[in-house]
Amino acid sequence: DQQVKQNSPSLSVQEGRISILNCDYTNSMFDYFLWYKKYPAEGPTFLISISSIKDKNEDGRFTVFLNKSAKHLSLHIVPSQPGDSAVYFCAASARGGAGGTSYGKLTFGQGTILTVHP
Amino acid sequence: SAVISQKPSRDICQRGTSLTIQCQVDSQVTMMFWYRQQPGQSLTLIATANQGSEATYESGFVIDKFPISRPNLTFSTLTVSNMSPEDSSIYLCSAYLMSRTDTQYFGPGTRLTVL
C-alpha cells in the first residue's frame, strides 16, 4: 500500500523556467510534509516542509503548496538551475496535530528525477 | 543542520556473512532511524533506534535479521545478518535534532552489495 505517491518518475525543464513536482497521499493522519533532494552517492538533503495548518510555505526559490482536500502537495522551483538536477522525494508524517512533537516516522514517495537543462 | 556520518560508505560482502554499519551524529539527537533504499526504489523505514531499549521494527523487518544498537544519544549501529543478494541496498541512518525537532536529517548512506 503506497501511502505517498509521486506519479512522475522524471521531469525535464529548461534553465530559468519553473519546475513543478507533484505528490499525492492517502493517509488522512499525515499532518506534516517534507521535500528532500538527493544526489547520487549522498543522503537526502532537507529542502522545505509544510504543516497541515498551512497551504503554502516559501523559502527562496522553493515553494510548497498543500491541498488537503485533494490530499495533494507540490513543490515549485523558480527559477530552475542546472544544480537543481537531482532526485526529489516527498515525505509525510503523522505528528499529532498542530504543534505536535511526536517525532513522526517518515513515509516517502518513489521520487522524481529532475533534470534542468542549461 | 547536523553532520551525520556513516561507516563504511560502501562494502561488497559474501552471501551468509554479516555487516555492521555505524552512524555517528555530531550533536545530541532525540530519535534515530534506519532506512533502506533498494535499487530504483524509495526509502523504506527499517526501525527506530531507541536509546537504552530495544529498537522498534517496521512490518517486514525483524531483529534477528537487522539487530540495532544505540548505546548513547549520538551513535547507533545496524547489522545486516546472514546476507543474501536481496539485501543489496543503500542503508541510511537519520535523526531528529534536539535543536530542531521538525526535520529528519540523513547520513550519506552505506552502499552494500552482496554477492
Side-chain angles (χ1 to χ4, degrees), chain A residues 45-63:
Chain A
T45 301
F46 169 73
L47 271 178
I48 192 169
S49 62
I50 188 166
S51 166
S52 60
I53 62 174
K54 295 185 176 181
D55 55 18
K56 177 183 175 181
N57 189 27
E58 193 172 352
D59 184 1
R61 295 186 299 116
F62 303 93
T63 303

Side-chain angles (χ1 to χ4, degrees), chain A residues 34-49 62 75 83-84 86-91 106 108, chain B residues 1-2 4 37 43 92-94 100 103-109:
Chain A
L34 307 91
W35 284 94
Y36 286 86
K37 177 171 72 174
K38 187 179 185 300
Y39 294 117
E42 295 184 12
T45 301
F46 169 73
L47 271 178
I48 192 169
S49 62
F62 303 93
L75 175 68
D84 296 329
V87 180
Y88 287 78
F89 289 99
C90 165
L106 294 182
F108 282 83
Chain B
S1 62
I4 302 179
Q37 185 183 19
L43 283 74
L92 300 119
C93 70
S94 71
R100 181 167 180 177
T103 302
Q104 270 190 41
Y105 292 92
F106 282 82

Side-chain angles (χ1 to χ4, degrees), chain A residues 32 36 43 103-105 108-109, chain B residues 37 42 58 96 101-104 107:
Chain A
Y32 196 71
Y36 286 86
Y103 308 118
K105 302 178 295 187
F108 282 83
Chain B
Q37 185 183 19
S42 184
E58 297 300 304
Y96 282 106
T101 58
D102 58 351
T103 302
Q104 270 190 41

Side-chain angles (χ1 to χ4, degrees), chain B residues 86-101:
Chain B
E86 292 71 35
D87 294 320
S88 297
S89 295
I90 299 173
Y91 292 86
L92 300 119
C93 70
S94 71
Y96 282 106
L97 307 183
M98 285 189 178
S99 59
R100 181 167 180 177
T101 58

Side-chain angles (χ1 to χ4, degrees), chain B residues 4-113:
Chain B
I4 302 179
S5 59
Q6 288 184 231
K7 288 195 292 187
S9 58
R10 59 175 60 227
D11 207 341
I12 300 173
C13 301
Q14 295 297 319
R15 181 196 298 261
T17 63
S18 298
L19 175 73
T20 295
I21 302 167
Q22 299 179 5
C23 177
Q24 177 74 55
V25 189
D26 69 350
S27 56
Q28 289 192 339
V29 301
T30 54
M31 307 284 282
M32 293 183 76
F33 304 88
W34 286 97
Y35 289 82
R36 178 175 75 180
Q37 185 183 19
Q38 293 177 300
Q41 302 295 314
S42 184
L43 283 74
T44 301
L45 181 63
I46 297 172
T48 302
N50 302 310
Q51 192 209 352
S53 64
E54 203 166 275
T56 305
Y57 290 84
E58 297 300 304
S59 175
F61 298 96
V62 295
I63 186 171
D64 290 346
K65 176 67 176 177
F66 298 102
I68 288 170
S69 77
R70 188 179 169 194
N72 58 51
L73 287 174
T74 63
F75 184 79
S76 178
T77 67
L78 168 76
T79 299
V80 185
S81 303
N82 188 25
M83 289 184 284
S84 67
E86 292 71 35
D87 294 320
S88 297
S89 295
I90 299 173
Y91 292 86
L92 300 119
C93 70
S94 71
Y96 282 106
L97 307 183
M98 285 189 178
S99 59
R100 181 167 180 177
T101 58
D102 58 351
T103 302
Q104 270 190 41
Y105 292 92
F106 282 82
T110 295
R111 183 178 294 273
L112 171 62
T113 302

